[in-house]
Amino acid sequence: MAELPCAEPLPRCSGRFTISTLLGPEEVLGCEGTQLSGSSLCTRTFGYNTVDVVPAYEHYANSRGVGEARQGRPSLADLHSILKVRLCCGGCWPIFNGLPDTEDGAGEPSSAPAPEPVRFGWVKGVMIRCMLNIWGVILYLRLPWITAQAGIALTWLIILMSVTVTTITGLSISAISTNGKVKSGGTYFLISRSLGPELGGSIGLIFAFANAVAVAMHTVGFAETVRDLLQEHNSLIVDPTNDIRIIGVLTVTVLLGISLAGMEWEAKAQILFFLVILVSFINYLVGTVIPASGFNFVPDWRGPEGSFFGLFSIFFPSATGILAGANISGDLKDPAVAIPKGTLMAIFWTTVSYLVLSATIGACVLRDASGSLNDSVALGSPGCEGLGCSYGWNFTDCAQQQSCRYGLSNYYQSMSMVSGFGPLITAGIFGATLSSALACLVSAPKVFQCLCKDQLYPLIGFFGKGYGKNSEPIRGYMLTYVIAIGFILIAELNAIAPIISNFFLCSYALINFSCFHASITNSPGWRPSFRYYSKWAALFGAAISVVIMFLLTWWAALIALGIVVFLLGYVLYKKPDVNWGSSMQASSYNLALSYSVGLSEVDEHIKNYRPQCLVLTGPPNFRPALVDFVGTFTKNLSLMICGNVLIGPRKQKVPEAQQALDGHTRWLLKRKIKAFYTNVLAEDLRSGVQMLLQAAGLGKMRPNIVALGYKRDWQAAAPQSLEDYVGILHDAFDFKHGVCLLRLREGLNVSRVPQAHINPAFGAAEHPDGNSTADPEQQASTIFQSQQGKKTIDIYWLFDDGGLTLLIPYLLGRKKRWGKCRIRVFVGGQINRMDEERKAIVSLLSKFRLGFHEVHVLPDINQQPRPEHIRRFDELIAPFRLNDGFKDEAAVNELRHGCPWKISDEEVHRHRAKSLRQVRLNEILLDYSRDAALIAITLPIGRKGRCPSSLYMAWLETLSQDLRPPVILIRGNQENVLTFYCQ
């Protein structure tokens, strides 16, 4: 047959395959619609006249960017008609709301009110507790020794450096405590609820462990004092080291008993200890009125700890009791007031006491003394060296031989020698050590209990159980007791203190960084009412804590930070089912917002094209195959939005919309589909989809493809639902979207009982009672979740749509489940030019770098379909025909009034060639792709207003019927999505 002549002199046709037509020249302008303005019409493809063109090199040459019209390829408007807004009318077809309605259950029977637990104010609950925890073993037993080593000047520097870190941390914890209602759980609760489980979990675990070790440190200090008393009276139990272990274990056991007795007993014990310490301080200050015997201002380093940071690591634990009040936050009357006020007041008064004590003890006691009255000499005696000479004492010999038993550098109980009455200092040591050990013994289990209840980490839930009216963490007490005994057995205070320093510094660094992170993310949920907080001070506190950690012990700092990174990474990876408003979430939002806005400033380019899909799933759990299919090629690559249209009275559907949003989002997360879910309320399905088409997405992250399921029941469904379904396809093209339509042999809808409120347009029937038995959480398996093996993915690239028909199967083939599939590309061609056509397509595909090498030209595409298949098509459209006998247009419109889906005889004749082409293509698909894993076909386009919806659906039905593999019908928006240029 001769080629169809053009209506006017033609330029060179861009379509590579110019095939004979079944129509006459007189039918050129009426075959598919109105004449194109500004372009010539010529026959470009298979067997019938159409504006559509086959793939060609020229269509992709000189590609510049997405959105430009391509010379030679018709635009979407050319194929589909100029955009014309069409208002939907007709009946309302409800859609699944996704989750069954829930009603409020009957109120639970009233029960007797629980007894009111003990609550403390800011003085008794926070300030005294913090002061007792700060006034610990270091104050009495190591601060004089540190002063001897470092001198008064550097000792003050050590104290002020420690206080700087703790004060900044105190300001941060004060801000956190005023950022919402505080419950039990202490530091962990404060941080996790204000800043999220990621940071809270790691801080809580480290802080609980550090407090457990601190129990051991303070208990060892107490045991050391008792050992010294026994040694003075020659009454050692075993030997000096084992005596510390024995006394320490017995002491921590008694403290455990006090803790288990309840918070009332613990609070009473703390008040007693506080009074004892105050009396011992007064006693000490009275003793300092006695004339001074030395002034140790400059350092005199001695021993393995004799360095500035060595002494700092030993002193720092004495300043770490600032969170003792915050750690019993659940036992405070008003934590938001008590924690800031009590913590900062405790820091102030203890700092003053440390500065005064170091200055006075350094001015009153020599570094070295023999303790013998025979060492007195006359003032100015020759051969006497040291400060003692000016006061009539010559300790030169013992100082040089390092045999002095007394003095700040040698005798840890020097404060008792300065005081007015020595035994009161011993009582103060007992009070300070026991009160600090008791406070840490209470703090660690309460923090750990809250952490265990949240189950952020595995295998710790056992310790979360509470007992009694205060929900005492008895199991946590026992765990802390075991840890404390383990470190008590070390029996060396100077060895335990540096371990605690690193863990506390790490905790403080995390606390300060958490507050800074929450501030810079500008999270609306971060609104502390504490006005003295500064994010820059918090950042400085975090930085200086990390620096000091490395200056103390670099390897211990690496271990501590490694543990933090592991704990943080575990929570980020596992994503526990808790949400308290994480600063990490706020940070992610800020980054996403910044990048999304930044995308608006970037010009689009074909190389950056991504298939961003609006998937018309309805309830996603009812069409899991459609969700899995799109999720497979968009995962970690591009945007996927699952859209649902809720139809019905607004008052009823608004609460259902929120319920559906939460339920379906959980379903997607459980299925590990990286997609958004959105629903809209509309009067009918089509107008709802139009809303989604216009409003879904953000900036450049907007859908450019509409994916939906094939409407299997189009022949039996309500006619208006058929119109809506085809109308949605028209709307997608009108809004310049590509279309991806999925058909499975068994269908897509997996709802067990069809509902009265399912979308009729998506193929579900109605049920009289409208009750649902489908489980919103069900996870039905689909073909797209299984391994495909060594099958084929067959692409029928029949018309040039810009390359989307190639791109989606290519992206699918990159996934592991489809990676072994062989991809075959089928194109139409003439039997006498098969080699040339194949080489042309192979050359084009090689430039796209898709890795498609197997190309098949279909020379028999123009053959007449078999008669029985033609009859089947005629029977398919028979119920929708007007049988008007070729009447004029006015008469046909009158007959079709109210039934736009009806097909006139003239339309049957006009589209006869295209209808037969779908019949023939189905025969080819059955011949070539019966055993394929997936079939991708270029979707035929029906011209809006010229092709009735029932005829168009008959084309899709005929094209894809009887096929066992999944079939995807794809049509791009006629703009390039593939390029072979480097720029």
Side-chain angles (χ1 to χ4, degrees):
M1 295 179 65
E3 180 178 323
L4 177 67
C6 297
E8 57 181 86
L10 292 175
R12 179 178 179 272
C13 294
S14 296
R16 182 165 302 273
F17 308 130
T18 305
I19 313 298
S20 58
T21 180
L22 300 179
L23 299 181
E26 68 279 0
E27 296 173 316
V28 168
L29 300 182
C31 63
E32 275 198 356
T34 58
Q35 183 178 7
L36 293 175
S37 59
S39 64
S40 300
L41 187 66
C42 54
T43 303
R44 300 190 181 189
T45 188
F46 319 114
Y48 61 97
N49 188 67
T50 177
V51 180
D52 224 344
V53 297
V54 296
Y57 174 91
E58 292 87 347
H59 302 162
Y60 298 88
N62 299 319
S63 301
R64 297 179 184 175
V66 177
E68 294 186 14
R70 301 298 167 205
Q71 183 177 3
R73 183 194 303 138
S75 68
L76 193 58
D78 292 337
L79 292 171
H80 182 246
S81 81
I82 304 303
L83 175 64
K84 181 179 180 181
V85 178
R86 174 180 175 182
L87 298 177
C88 298
C89 57
C92 295
W93 306 100
I95 187 171
F96 252 123
N97 61 7
L99 289 174
D101 293 336
T102 58
E103 296 181 1
D104 294 333
E108 296 182 358
S110 59
S111 58
E116 184 68 23
V118 179
R119 294 285 186 258
F120 305 110
W122 73 272
V123 175
K124 187 176 179 181
V126 181
M127 187 184 79
I128 291 179
R129 185 173 296 275
C130 288
M131 292 178 71
L132 285 172
N133 212 358
I134 295 171
W135 282 337
V137 60
I138 304 297
L139 171 69
Y140 287 95
L141 299 183
R142 290 298 183 271
L143 185 59
W145 174 76
I146 291 173
T147 304
Q149 292 260 7
I152 296 175
L154 291 184
T155 300
W156 275 38
L157 181 60
I158 289 173
I159 294 171
L160 293 176
M161 282 178 60
S162 301
V163 170
T164 299
V165 174
T166 56
T167 301
I168 294 174
T169 306
L171 294 175
S172 296
I173 209 70
S174 298
I176 296 173
S177 67
T178 60
N179 192 49
K181 186 177 180 180
V182 176
K183 298 181 181 179
S184 61
T187 309
Y188 163 71
F189 180 89
L190 293 172
I191 296 173
S192 63
R193 268 52 174 185
S194 290
L195 306 175
E198 302 89 354
L199 294 167
S202 55
I203 293 174
L205 209 55
I206 289 177
F207 196 76
F209 178 77
N211 272 279
V213 179
V215 174
M217 182 187 74
H218 294 295
T219 305
V220 166
F222 171 81
E224 186 178 290
T225 303
V226 175
R227 188 273 316 270
D228 290 344
L229 291 175
L230 293 175
Q231 198 169 16
E232 287 181 7
H233 294 85
N234 297 317
S235 302
L236 288 176
I237 302 172
V238 181
D239 58 62
T241 302
N242 284 315
D243 280 10
I244 292 177
R245 292 169 180 155
I246 294 171
I247 297 168
V249 171
L250 292 175
T251 303
V252 78
T253 304
V254 173
L255 294 177
L256 176 65
I258 296 174
S259 301
L260 293 177
M263 287 298 297
E264 284 187 85
W265 286 95
E266 190 267 350
K268 291 176 181 178
Q270 294 286 32
I271 293 296
L272 176 62
F273 291 144
F274 184 72
L275 293 175
V276 170
I277 293 174
L278 286 182
V279 171
S280 72
F281 270 170
I282 294 172
N283 173 56
Y284 167 77
L285 292 175
V286 169
T288 59
V289 176
I290 299 172
S293 59
F295 193 73
N296 304 299
F297 189 78
V298 295
D300 180 20
W301 309 116
R302 300 182 186 183
E305 299 93 355
S307 66
F308 179 84
F309 286 104
L311 297 178
F312 182 92
S313 67
I314 294 174
F315 174 81
F316 186 75
S318 68
T320 58
I322 61 169
L323 300 180
N327 285 336
I328 62 162
S329 56
D331 300 305
L332 301 175
K333 293 178 182 177
D334 188 355
V337 173
I339 292 174
K341 193 172 182 180
T343 302
L344 296 177
M345 289 296 291
I347 292 173
F348 174 76
W349 287 116
T350 53
T351 302
V352 171
S353 67
Y354 276 132
L355 294 174
V356 170
L357 192 148
S358 63
T360 53
I361 198 73
C364 293
V365 183
L366 297 174
R367 285 190 170 98
D368 297 293
S370 65
S372 173
L373 295 176
N374 295 327
D375 288 335
S376 60
V377 295
L379 295 178
S381 298
C384 183
E385 298 177 1
L387 289 174
C389 298
S390 58
Y391 296 97
W393 299 98
N394 184 6
F395 302 129
T396 305
D397 291 340
C398 74
Q400 292 175 348
Q401 297 174 10
Q402 297 184 358
S403 61
C404 297
R405 290 185 56 194
Y406 297 97
L408 293 180
S409 296
N410 310 296
Y411 188 55
Y412 290 145
Q413 308 287 344
S414 297
M415 284 184 64
S416 62
M417 300 182 66
V418 177
S419 65
F421 183 60
L424 286 179
I425 296 299
T426 302
I429 295 173
F430 289 171
T433 54
L434 294 178
S435 65
S436 297
L438 188 59
C440 293
L441 186 58
V442 170
S443 297
K446 287 187 175 291
V447 172
F448 192 57
Q449 180 189 36
C450 187
L451 178 63
C452 295
K453 285 182 177 180
D454 292 334
Q455 297 183 345
L456 297 184
Y457 303 104
L459 307 177
I460 62 173
F462 172 80
F463 299 98
K465 183 175 177 60
Y467 297 86
K469 62 182 180 180
N470 275 23
S471 187
E472 293 295 333
I474 293 179
R475 295 175 179 177
Y477 282 131
M478 299 308 297
L479 178 63
T480 304
Y481 174 73
V482 172
I483 294 173
I485 287 179
F487 281 89
I488 286 172
L489 296 180
I490 297 175
E492 178 55 53
L493 186 63
N494 289 1
I496 299 174
I499 298 174
I500 299 176
S501 294
N502 263 288
F503 280 100
F504 273 115
L505 281 167
C506 187
S507 299
Y508 293 165
L510 281 171
I511 291 171
N512 287 306
F513 177 76
S514 301
C515 293
F516 172 74
H517 188 265
S519 300
I520 63 172
T521 55
N522 298 317
S523 172
W526 176 248
R527 301 186 301 276
S529 58
F530 184 69
R531 59 180 178 174
Y532 300 107
Y533 164 75
S534 167
K535 62 182 179 183
W536 301 116
L539 177 62
F540 176 74
I544 195 173
S545 297
V546 173
V547 170
I548 292 174
M549 282 176 63
F550 280 93
L551 290 175
L552 296 184
T553 314
W554 65 268
W555 56 267
L558 288 176
I559 293 174
L561 292 178
I563 293 173
V564 169
V565 171
F566 173 77
L567 295 174
L568 182 63
Y570 180 85
V571 176
L572 288 172
Y573 175 75
K574 283 295 185 180
K575 295 182 176 62
D577 189 20
V578 294
N579 186 7
W580 307 307
S582 169
S583 63
M584 294 291 185
Q585 295 173 356
S587 179
S588 299
Y589 175 85
N590 282 356
L591 285 174
L593 180 62
S594 176
Y595 284 125
S596 297
V597 173
L599 280 177
S600 301
E601 303 174 1
V602 178
D603 293 334
E604 291 182 338
H605 192 280
I606 301 169
K607 289 193 296 184
N608 295 326
Y609 175 85
R610 295 171 184 264
Q612 304 187 123
C613 295
L614 171 63
V615 192
L616 303 182
T617 58
N621 61 307
F622 279 9
R623 295 173 182 83
L626 181 60
V627 173
D628 290 340
F629 163 65
V630 179
T632 299
F633 68 81
T634 60
K635 185 177 182 180
N636 300 326
L637 174 74
S638 58
L639 177 70
M640 176 181 174
I641 300 177
C642 294
N644 189 6
V645 180
L646 297 168
I647 301 170
R650 182 177 296 273
K651 185 176 181 180
Q652 173 189 349
K653 292 298 177 181
V654 166
E656 292 182 7
Q658 184 59 44
Q659 189 181 26
L661 182 65
D662 297 338
H664 293 313
T665 299
R666 288 197 305 271
W667 184 87
L668 290 169
L669 291 173
K670 186 176 180 181
R671 202 172 182 84
K672 298 182 179 180
I673 299 292
K674 295 190 176 181
F676 298 98
Y677 170 82
T678 186
N679 50 34
V680 295
L681 277 66
E683 296 180 356
D684 57 75
L685 174 65
R686 187 176 178 188
S687 60
V689 174
Q690 288 174 341
M691 294 178 190
L692 290 171
L693 287 169
Q694 296 177 83
L698 179 68
K700 292 292 179 69
M701 297 182 66
R702 298 177 62 86
N704 49 33
I705 296 174
V706 174
L708 69 165
Y710 178 74
K711 184 173 176 62
R712 298 180 68 201
D713 66 340
W714 66 273
Q715 300 173 70
Q720 185 58 46
S721 71
L722 174 62
E723 278 288 289
D724 284 349
Y725 182 82
V726 177
I728 288 170
L729 299 179
H730 288 308
D731 294 336
F733 289 131
D734 285 341
F735 287 108
K736 296 297 181 69
H737 284 56
V739 169
C740 186
L741 192 152
L742 174 64
R743 180 175 187 180
L744 297 184
R745 188 175 186 179
E746 64 275 14
L748 293 174
N749 199 324
V750 299
S751 56
R752 297 295 177 260
V753 177
Q755 319 275 314
H757 53 292
I758 295 178
N759 265 344
F762 290 110
E766 295 183 359
H767 190 269
D769 61 8
N771 293 326
S772 172
T773 63
D775 180 7
E777 299 295 329
Q778 67 180 356
Q779 295 288 338
S781 60
T782 69
I783 188 174
F784 297 101
Q785 292 179 319
S786 59
Q787 294 289 338
Q788 300 302 316
K790 296 182 179 181
K791 299 180 181 179
T792 63
I793 298 176
D794 291 349
I795 304 172
Y796 288 81
W797 196 25
L798 304 178
F799 303 105
D800 197 339
D801 62 344
L804 190 63
T805 306
L806 296 175
L807 182 61
I808 288 180
Y810 165 74
L811 296 174
L812 202 65
R814 293 172 62 185
K815 302 303 180 180
K816 184 177 180 180
R817 293 190 181 101
W818 298 80
K820 294 182 180 180
C821 291
R822 191 172 84 256
I823 297 180
R824 303 189 297 179
V825 179
F826 295 84
V827 296
Q830 295 180 355
I831 193 169
N832 59 344
R833 297 187 57 196
M834 286 183 57
D835 290 340
E836 292 87 342
E837 309 299 358
R838 183 181 179 281
K839 289 179 181 179
I841 293 298
V842 169
S843 175
L844 179 59
L845 293 177
S846 67
K847 288 182 171 58
F848 288 148
R849 307 173 307 283
L850 298 174
F852 299 167
H853 305 297
E854 189 172 346
V855 177
H856 299 269
V857 179
L858 302 171
D860 54 350
I861 196 169
N862 293 315
Q863 291 180 6
Q864 190 77 0
R866 291 197 287 272
E868 62 271 22
H869 293 159
I870 296 176
R871 284 197 302 272
R872 185 170 64 173
F873 176 81
D874 291 336
E875 291 170 358
L876 187 64
I877 64 173
F880 301 95
R881 293 190 61 172
L882 278 174
N883 296 315
D884 55 283
F886 290 93
K887 293 184 178 180
D888 58 54
E889 186 175 354
V892 169
N893 290 337
E894 182 67 25
L895 288 172
R896 194 158 48 188
H897 180 69
C899 305
W901 52 85
K902 290 290 187 178
I903 312 170
S904 69
D905 292 345
E906 192 274 334
E907 288 168 335
V908 172
H909 175 71
R910 182 200 314 159
H911 295 96
R912 188 63 175 175
K914 193 167 186 177
S915 299
L916 295 179
R917 182 57 50 227
Q918 314 313 317
V919 178
R920 178 58 189 150
L921 285 172
N922 180 254
E923 294 176 350
I924 291 174
L925 292 173
L926 290 170
D927 289 341
Y928 288 93
S929 302
R930 187 181 299 272
D931 298 321
L934 180 74
I935 301 173
I937 318 171
T938 306
L939 175 72
I941 291 183
R943 190 174 294 280
K944 187 167 64 174
R946 304 290 293 177
C947 179
S949 58
S950 56
L951 179 59
Y952 183 71
M953 288 303 300
W955 290 348
L956 301 186
E957 177 72 25
T958 300
L959 177 62
S960 57
Q961 66 185 353
D962 299 332
L963 294 172
R964 184 168 58 242
V967 179
I968 51 173
L969 299 163
I970 306 173
R971 172 65 74 155
N973 65 355
Q974 300 303 114
E975 295 175 358
N976 283 355
V977 300
L978 297 173
T979 182
F980 44 75
Y981 288 100
C982 63
Q983 64 178 16

